[in-house]
Amino acid sequence: ILFWLMGTFLLVVGLWSKTEKGNLMDFNSMAVDPATVLLVVGALMFWIGFFGWVGALRENVKFLMVFGVSLVILFLAEAAVGIIAFIMKEKVKEVVQEHMYDSIKAYRD
């Protein structure tokens, strides 16, 4: 249930930040919009948590299999991104600094 509740929370925060952003569209110079990331991650967590919750509640093996496979896929994807970021450490640092400086400049204007 905690996974499902956190997904719901992220989904709500993503929707709120997307609607409140309004006149700050110039601040959207980052590679990926944080509000969109919150929406996608929140929706993904909500559905995965839903499958786990309903699967456990109803003892539905198919839902529990979807839940387990989804968690394994997320773990493998997270590990892959971490390994790639570690291997390309300097490039990641350079890109993050560049986007942060651009975002600060856009925010001050």
Side-chain angles (χ1 to χ4, degrees):
I1 285 188
L2 185 63
F3 198 71
W4 181 67
L5 290 174
M6 287 302 298
T8 305
F9 175 74
L10 287 177
L11 195 57
V12 168
V13 169
L15 286 170
W16 174 75
S17 62
K18 202 65 153 155
T19 57
E20 288 293 318
K21 197 157 96 170
N23 60 353
L24 296 176
M25 292 304 254
D26 292 337
F27 186 64
N28 194 13
S29 64
M30 297 175 73
V32 179
D33 183 24
T36 305
V37 170
L38 282 175
L39 280 172
V40 170
V41 169
L44 189 65
M45 283 181 67
F46 177 84
W47 283 109
I48 291 172
F50 176 78
F51 277 111
W53 178 60
V54 172
L57 184 67
R58 302 283 183 207
E59 296 179 6
N60 188 333
V61 176
K62 291 181 182 178
F63 273 25
L64 289 174
M65 288 295 279
V66 169
F67 177 71
V69 169
S70 299
L71 287 180
V72 168
I73 290 171
L74 282 175
F75 175 74
L76 292 175
E78 188 176 304
V81 168
I83 290 169
I84 291 170
F86 181 74
I87 291 171
M88 301 177 68
K89 183 180 342 185
E90 292 303 318
K91 179 69 174 169
V92 170
K93 183 178 177 181
E94 177 183 312
V95 169
V96 168
Q97 282 181 344
E98 178 183 326
H99 285 299
M100 288 300 291
Y101 290 143
D102 291 344
S103 297
I104 291 170
K105 286 178 188 174
Y107 181 74
R108 289 183 178 171
D109 289 340

